[in-house]
Each structure stands twice: as structure tokens, then as C-alpha cells.
Amino acid sequence: MSAAAASSIGAANTALVTDPKLQLKSFNGFRKNASYSSTYSLLLDTRIHPFSSISSSTSPAVIRAVSTPVKQETAVETKRSKVEIFKEQSNFIRYPLNEELLTDAPNINEAATQLIKFHGSYQQYNRDERGAKSYSFMLRTKNPSGKVSNQLYLAMDDLADQFGIGTLRLTTRQTFQLHGVIKKDLKTVMSTIIKNMGSTLGACGDLNRNVLAPAAPFVRKDYLFAQETADNIAALLTPQSGFYYDMWVDGEQFMTAEPPEVVKARNDNTHGTNFPDSAEPIYGTQFLPRKFKVAVTVPTDNSVDLLTNDIGVVVVCDDNGEPQGFNLYVGGGMGRTHRMETTFPRLAEPLGYVPKEDILYAVKAIVVTQRENGRRDDRRYSRMKYLIDSWGIDKFRSVVEGYYGKKFESTKALPEWEFKSHLGWNEQGDGRLFCGLHVDSGRVKGIMKKTLREIIEKYNLNVRITPNQNIVLCDIRPSWKRPITVALAQGGLLPPTYVDPLNITAMACPALPLCPLAITEAERGIPDLLKRVRAVFEKVGLPYNESIVVRVTGCPNGCARPYMAELGLVGDGPNSYQIWLGGTPAQTSLARTFMNKVKIQDLEKVFEPLFHSWKSKRKSKESFGDFTNRVGFEKLQEIVDKWEGVPKSSSRYYLKLFTDKETFEAVDALARVENKSAHQLAMEVIRNFAASQQNGKSQ
């Protein structure tokens, strides 16, 4: 490195010199590699940061970068988080990850750990193991609208067995997660995904994440338009600098041709949204302050948890069902930190309406507003929801309109929202069928995994992943319905009518043992938690078809969106949860903290009085979430504090199932062996018998 270059770096990073925790080793250029060509020689913009020109001793090519956001010059450099420094010095998310992947160590260093997120991976270790850390990597795919081709599904299924832990996980953002990949296998796995029509680019990191849309493959104008829009937004906000393909397939491009409207919107700089001559015209070298989430849907269908996203996009049609434009909602987000009231979950609020031809420009304007103004000093406050909370929606709208170049129209009136699971058999509208299958916590494993593989491979089916961690088999001929139904039942994939209603809407994050942020169990604990909720329902006299939305996370980051649940359990200590109440089945209300640090063995002490009170004092068809909001937390706390047990008049022997007390007690004794109630065991036997009879008949 030249003296001039070294001097330039020193000037740009004066604030770092005195803090050894923030110092990075000097950059001496890349090893000679065809994947790092002079294609990425970029404009040096000294008006922003005097960042150095960097040259390799083996190549005269100059690699230069444009920093973002643009700020007025000040005497003291604005404080930035360590991750911001890593991004700026990475040559567009390459260094030092490219070097760390070549070492013999099982892990990568701190800077590379942050950068690999942009490539769709997190470094993890097994927290159940003692002694030396056993490092591995989690890979997350990016599947707009949850679409997964037949080819990609089969490839992911193979990779899970060959390089993972033998399971696939369906996520709350309609993607796959593959756990347990070791460092030396990363390139093989990544390149296999890319070569089989998949991608992990941007599935993690400080940029736009996977764009949600309803997973149902209805051949309807509104659904098709929503999914097309999700695809286009995902393409618009995909990184352009080539770092992903350089790293994993030696620079070979596997991107499909983009629609011309996407290319036009990305390149348009009429209102100063872009970095001219930059390899990343929208993101610059700094990308976004934090992750950014977008969901697109149609009126009434809130399968995407619309209001939890940074941007919510809703198709608006005319009376003939023709899409005309979009309502936009902004500022949603779930993450928070325990005991820090300055961090909080937040619902998105209306921004305005745009005609359909303007949607990409409007989305880009919102992203650029966050890019330029979101906090980069403290990552706890870097999501767009904090910017909007600080500014207010009116100021935020005004700034966005400057980048959009127009005023937003008022949002259009919409019907009430509903949660739609899209489970069971449905007609697509083109003569074919789709079948939505419930998967507990999204974990595809064992006989279920084998069965799905056989069906998807045999019938050459494409699939879709839902935002509720379920899977949809698409494009099924009517003549295939009966054999597929039988095969699914044999693999433990029963129709939704035979699945406990509590399980249908429940969600949990992976948590322990691999997530480094987890405080307590979530995915591994939710099966037992749901059984305990059902047992309390039965104890207080609630019928089997009654359900509530239960979501569990191992920490307050909210990956399973517990702050929208009617009953949210958020890990806040070893074997203890914070209890949140007040979400609604339609996922339109934010829950609130009800109790802190409730030990897992004490949950029934809270559940029993709450559910008994709901059963005895609810209004007609009033949901549990609506009930808790109407009664108020102060009164509910009083009910819990004074609880002395279920009144004897509420206890039953379920005589509709058991002809006498002796039969009930005999079944009850068998059920206790499996940690179930007599009613649960009896219902399981009846449901399984009914399912076997149904599967044996012509459909």
C-alpha cells in the first residue's frame, strides 16, 4: 500500500485510533483471483469520506468506494457503530470474508461474521455442548412470495442430509433455513443452491430481506399481481455489485433477466436517490442501517402479518377486480430489548396510496429515506420504526415525497383483515389444486421429510412456503388428490381438520441450542407448551375447537412475531418467559407486556385464571385477545393474584366422550403416561381413526 493511501485511511478513521476494540488490520489488497476483476473499479467520492484508493501489489486495478449516507461536513466525524466500519472497509461485502473462508480455522473473525450475513448466513455454535465451541453455519434462502421450484426443493432436501443436520426449517419469512453446515462445505452448499435456481443473497444483513406475499397459488388477478409485485420489489432491492457471485461461484452470474420496469426504476436518479457510478446505486458502500422488511398482499388476506414490516404494500383493485394501485404502510418492526423502554415493537401506519406504475419508485424513495436518516451509531435504534417514531408520520411522508417526486394520495378504504392459513385442499382456479400442509414450527424432518420428498419428486410439484412456517404443494391434478392424501397421512401430514387448532396458528423461533441470542427454549419447548395450554382449556371447560394465537421466542428480538399474538411468550431468563397479551386473530393489534419472568413450571398459575375468566365473562364470539384488551390488564392481574383454582362446578368428566366415570379414569391413567389429558388422548384416537377411514375412501 502506498504512503498516500495509508495516510488517506488514517485520516478517514481518526476516531478509531484510540479505541483498540474498533481497530481493523490494514487492507493490503486481494489475492489474485479472476473473481475480483477490474469490473468493480468505482468512483471515489471525496466529498463524503476521504476513503482510500486500494491497489493490489499484483494488479494495477484501483478499487474505490462511495460511502453513504451523505451528511453535511462537520468538524467531528459522526459516531458510527463497528458494523458500519466493517461495511465501509469491505469492498462491497468481500473483505475480509474472502480471506477468512480460506483459513483452516472452523470459524471466521468478527468482521467476516458480520459480512457473511449479507450472503445469507450466520455463524453459530452448539450451546448444548460443553468445552470447545463447535462452530457451524446456518444458511437462509431468499424466496419472494415463498416460491420454491421443484428443482430447488429437491436440492435443499439433499443438502440437508449431506451437509446439514438432516432437517429443513421453514421460516416466518417464507424461506428455508439449513442448519449445521461447516465452514469447509460452505462454498459447495452455496454454489449448489445458486445452480439450482436458488439464492441466499440478502436473506440476512443490513438490506432488504425476503419480500413476503400470500403463498396461495390462486389464479386471480389480485393474487398474481401481489406476487409479481413482490418479485419486482425483491429484484429492485437486490445488491448489484457482484460480491455474492464472486464469493461462491467465482464470478459466474446466474441471475435471470429482470423486467425492464425494474431496471428503469433502479437506474432512475431524477430525484437524487442514487449514487452515480457506484456498483451499488441504491445501497452505496454502507448499505442500510439495519435489516429492512417488505410484505405485499391483497385486501382481507393478512397471512403475511402486514403491519409488522418496514413497508406493507396492499393491492387495490377496481370494481372489476383490475389492480389499480397500492396502499402503503410504513414503520412496523418487532425487535426490542428487555428492560429498555426506548426499544419497542411497533405497528406500521398508513403512508398513502400510489398508482400501480409508481410502486417501485415509491418503495425506493422509502428505502432511501431510511438509508439517509436511519441511525448508524447504535444498532438497537437503527430500524426505520425508530426514525418514524422520532419524526412522526407527517415529516417522514414529506421527506419520502421529496425522493418520490410526487405527493401521496390518501389511502383507499379496505375491508377488515383476516388471518388466512391457506391450509387443506383448494382449487387454484386453473383446473388444478393446491394443498396446504401444517408443519409444527416449520421443522421438516423424519418421516415427514421423506414423504414430502417422495410426493414432490414423483408428481414434479412446485411448492410455496407460508409466513406461518407451513408448506403448500402446488399444481396438483385432481386425479392425484386421493393418492397424495393417502401418502401424506401415512407420513403424519394430516388434513388441518385433524390438527389441534392451537397448533395451526402457533409459531416459535429456533432458539436453543444454536441461536446465540436465545435465553430460553422456543421451538423445542412449544410442543409441550401447546399441550399444557390445551389441558388448561379442558380444565376450565373450553371446547376443543376453541383456539388462540400462541407464539414463543427465546429472546426479545421477536423472530416469531410474539408481539402480535393473543398469548406471546418471550424468553427473559433461564426457563422463564415474559407474557404478552392483547394481539388479535387477524394480527392487527399489538400485544402488551402482562407479566415478567414467569417460570416455565408456573405458567398454569397464569393460564388457568385468564382462560377461565375468558370462558365465563366473554362476549359472544369474543376472541381471547379482544377479551384481554376489553377487561384491561389491571383487572386481569387482580384475577390472577386472587386465583384459588378452577371452581368445582366447572370440572367435567366429558360424558360426551366417556360413558361413565370409571372409563374416564382408566383413559386418564393411560394419558398421563404421555403427559396428556384423557380428553386429549381420546380425541387423538378418534381423529386418527376418522382420518384413516377418510383416506381409504375415494376423494
Side-chain angles (χ1 to χ4, degrees):
M1 180 182 294
S2 68
S7 175
S8 180
I9 289 178
N13 298 290
T14 302
L16 300 180
V17 173
T18 57
D19 189 349
K21 293 181 181 179
L22 297 184
Q23 290 182 356
L24 298 172
K25 68 179 183 178
S26 61
F27 178 67
N28 296 311
F30 294 109
R31 293 186 176 93
K32 189 172 182 179
N33 190 312
S35 62
Y36 301 107
S37 69
S38 58
T39 303
Y40 301 107
S41 298
L42 307 171
L43 175 70
L44 173 63
D45 190 338
T46 55
R47 293 171 301 168
I48 303 166
H49 289 295
F51 190 62
S52 66
S53 302
I54 304 172
S55 62
S56 168
S57 59
T58 60
S59 173
V62 177
I63 302 173
R64 293 172 172 169
V66 179
S67 294
T68 181
V70 178
K71 299 293 182 184
Q72 296 295 322
E73 291 186 7
T74 57
V76 179
E77 185 177 359
T78 303
K79 180 184 176 184
R80 295 183 297 161
S81 71
K82 190 188 302 187
V83 176
E84 292 297 311
I85 308 300
F86 291 155
K87 288 187 287 186
E88 182 178 71
Q89 297 187 347
S90 70
N91 184 35
F92 295 104
I93 319 300
R94 293 177 173 86
Y95 174 82
L97 177 59
N98 59 322
E99 294 190 352
E100 285 292 302
L101 292 173
L102 299 176
T103 68
D104 293 331
N107 61 317
I108 55 179
N109 67 17
E110 182 182 7
T113 299
Q114 293 297 328
L115 298 180
I116 201 170
K117 295 177 184 179
F118 291 76
H119 296 258
S121 179
Y122 281 88
Q123 179 172 265
Q124 300 178 329
Y125 64 91
N126 191 335
R127 295 171 61 185
D128 282 347
E129 295 179 357
R130 295 294 176 260
K133 292 181 179 179
S134 177
Y135 288 100
S136 66
F137 292 80
M138 178 271 283
L139 274 63
R140 182 184 297 153
T141 59
K142 202 170 183 182
N143 309 88
S145 306
K147 295 177 183 176
V148 180
S149 69
N150 176 270
Q151 179 181 345
L152 179 59
Y153 185 92
L154 298 178
M156 294 299 298
D157 184 80
D158 287 338
L159 290 172
D161 292 336
Q162 294 173 20
F163 300 101
I165 59 174
T167 72
L168 282 172
R169 195 173 195 280
L170 315 177
T171 79
T172 59
R173 292 203 71 79
Q174 299 184 272
T175 65
F176 286 118
Q177 281 185 184
L178 182 63
H179 292 266
V181 179
I182 60 176
K183 189 173 107 174
K184 72 178 182 65
D185 293 329
L186 272 174
K187 188 167 184 176
T188 299
V189 175
M190 287 283 202
S191 63
T192 301
I193 292 172
I194 293 169
K195 292 173 182 178
N196 283 278
M197 303 171 61
S199 176
T200 65
L201 173 59
C204 323
D206 298 343
L207 71 174
N208 179 56
R209 302 290 184 88
N210 196 51
V211 181
L212 304 187
F218 290 127
V219 182
R220 277 175 34 182
K221 290 179 181 179
D222 53 351
Y223 274 85
L224 292 174
F225 193 57
Q227 291 155 3
E228 178 188 344
T229 302
D231 291 343
N232 287 346
I233 292 173
L236 173 74
L237 300 176
T238 294
Q240 299 296 300
S241 54
F243 63 81
Y244 180 67
Y245 298 100
D246 282 353
M247 200 75 71
W248 307 112
V249 287
D250 299 324
E252 186 177 356
Q253 295 290 315
F254 283 82
M255 298 173 66
T256 56
E258 294 179 320
E261 61 267 30
V262 172
V263 177
K264 182 180 178 182
R266 182 190 299 120
N267 293 336
D268 183 86
N269 197 28
T270 306
H271 304 289
T273 54
N274 290 15
F275 294 105
D277 303 311
S278 172
E280 292 290 354
I282 295 178
Y283 290 128
T285 60
Q286 299 304 102
F287 288 77
L288 297 179
R290 278 295 299 274
K291 58 187 173 184
F292 198 89
K293 299 181 177 180
V294 182
V296 185
T297 192
V298 301
T300 74
D301 189 339
N302 199 20
S303 60
V304 299
D305 254 357
L306 181 80
L307 301 179
T308 66
N309 290 269
D310 292 270
I311 305 178
V313 181
V314 184
V315 176
V316 177
C317 297
D318 62 16
D319 293 339
N320 297 319
E322 290 289 340
Q324 299 298 306
F326 301 90
N327 278 355
L328 293 175
Y329 303 82
V330 292
M334 294 286 97
R336 52 178 285 275
T337 303
H338 282 316
R339 263 82 49 197
M340 288 190 66
E341 299 303 316
T342 51
T343 66
F344 44 81
R346 188 181 191 276
L347 293 187
E349 55 186 307
L351 181 70
Y353 169 88
V354 297
K356 62 183 180 181
E357 61 270 15
D358 285 353
I359 184 60
L360 297 180
Y361 298 89
V363 167
K364 183 180 174 184
I366 297 168
V367 170
V368 170
T369 300
Q370 163 67 354
R371 182 195 76 195
E372 294 295 306
N373 299 282
R375 287 183 60 172
R376 294 179 181 267
D377 60 331
D378 190 334
R379 291 176 65 80
R380 286 173 296 187
Y381 305 103
S382 293
R383 289 291 298 276
M384 193 173 76
K385 65 179 177 180
Y386 294 113
L387 176 63
I388 296 176
D389 186 75
S390 172
W391 279 5
I393 191 63
D394 292 335
K395 177 179 177 179
F396 183 83
R397 181 184 295 111
S398 177
V399 174
V400 172
E401 287 172 342
Y403 290 115
Y404 175 41
K406 300 179 183 180
K407 293 286 186 182
F408 289 108
E409 299 178 41
S410 298
T411 53
K412 308 300 183 183
L414 297 176
E416 294 292 319
W417 291 106
E418 303 173 25
F419 167 72
K420 297 187 178 182
S421 69
H422 301 301
L423 297 181
W425 286 97
N426 299 271
E427 294 184 359
Q428 292 183 173
D430 59 356
R432 298 210 172 193
L433 308 173
F434 72 86
C435 183
L437 301 169
H438 172 73
V439 180
D440 283 336
S441 297
R443 185 67 70 176
V444 180
K445 58 184 178 180
I447 185 64
M448 176 198 302
K449 180 173 177 293
K450 181 176 182 291
T451 299
L452 282 174
R453 166 70 185 237
E454 291 173 349
I455 292 171
I456 291 168
E457 189 169 31
K458 178 178 180 179
Y459 296 98
N460 195 31
L461 302 179
N462 297 317
V463 307
R464 298 192 184 183
I465 302 169
T466 81
N468 229 53
Q469 301 175 282
N470 296 318
I471 193 166
V472 177
L473 306 181
C474 307
D475 306 315
I476 301 172
R477 294 180 184 176
S479 61
W480 297 344
K481 181 179 178 181
R482 182 176 179 274
I484 288 178
T485 300
V486 173
L488 289 171
Q490 292 171 344
L493 288 155
L494 298 175
T497 51
Y498 300 112
V499 178
D500 190 319
L502 285 170
N503 292 59
I504 293 291
T505 56
M507 289 202 297
C509 69
L512 296 171
L514 292 176
C515 178
L517 302 177
I519 305 169
T520 191
E521 298 284 3
E523 181 185 326
R524 294 195 302 195
I526 196 172
D528 183 61
L529 286 169
L530 292 175
K531 289 176 183 177
R532 291 167 64 183
V533 170
R534 177 58 66 191
V536 175
F537 270 29
E538 294 169 355
K539 187 173 183 179
V540 303
L542 285 163
Y544 178 80
N545 62 359
E546 197 68 73
S547 183
I548 63 173
V549 178
V550 181
R551 294 178 177 176
V552 185
T553 60
C555 83
N557 276 3
C559 292
R561 304 191 286 272
Y563 310 119
M564 302 297 288
E566 294 181 275
L567 173 63
L569 300 177
V570 181
D572 69 346
N575 298 311
S576 75
Y577 294 97
Q578 197 176 57
I579 295 179
W580 287 65
L581 303 175
T584 54
Q587 299 164 13
T588 54
S589 297
L590 196 64
R592 292 174 291 143
T593 311
F594 177 61
M595 294 182 71
N596 293 302
K597 291 192 173 297
V598 179
K599 287 295 183 182
I600 192 168
Q601 64 268 22
D602 295 329
L603 288 172
E604 279 83 355
K605 296 177 182 178
V606 181
F607 293 169
E608 275 189 20
L610 292 178
F611 296 154
H612 182 268
S613 181
W614 174 42
K615 175 185 177 294
S616 58
K617 299 176 182 178
R618 70 193 294 191
K619 294 182 178 180
S620 176
K621 298 183 179 179
E622 185 176 35
S623 70
F624 179 65
D626 286 332
F627 168 78
T628 58
N629 289 327
R630 177 174 62 82
V631 173
F633 283 16
E634 185 176 344
K635 178 62 176 177
L636 293 175
Q637 187 66 60
E638 180 183 334
I639 292 171
V640 170
D641 291 342
K642 294 182 177 180
W643 183 248
E644 294 181 353
V646 179
K648 290 184 178 179
S649 59
S650 295
S651 61
R652 308 184 288 166
Y653 288 116
Y654 303 104
L655 296 178
K656 290 182 180 180
L657 281 177
F658 302 101
T659 57
D660 53 64
K661 181 179 178 180
E662 289 71 24
T663 302
F664 168 80
E665 290 177 342
V667 175
D668 187 55
L670 291 172
R672 290 180 186 278
V673 176
E674 299 184 25
N675 195 26
K676 299 175 183 176
S677 68
H679 191 256
Q680 280 180 297
L681 181 60
M683 287 302 298
E684 284 185 15
V685 172
I686 293 170
R687 287 198 304 275
N688 290 338
F689 176 77
S692 66
Q693 294 300 301
Q694 186 75 9
N695 292 334
K697 295 179 180 179
S698 175
Q699 298 295 306

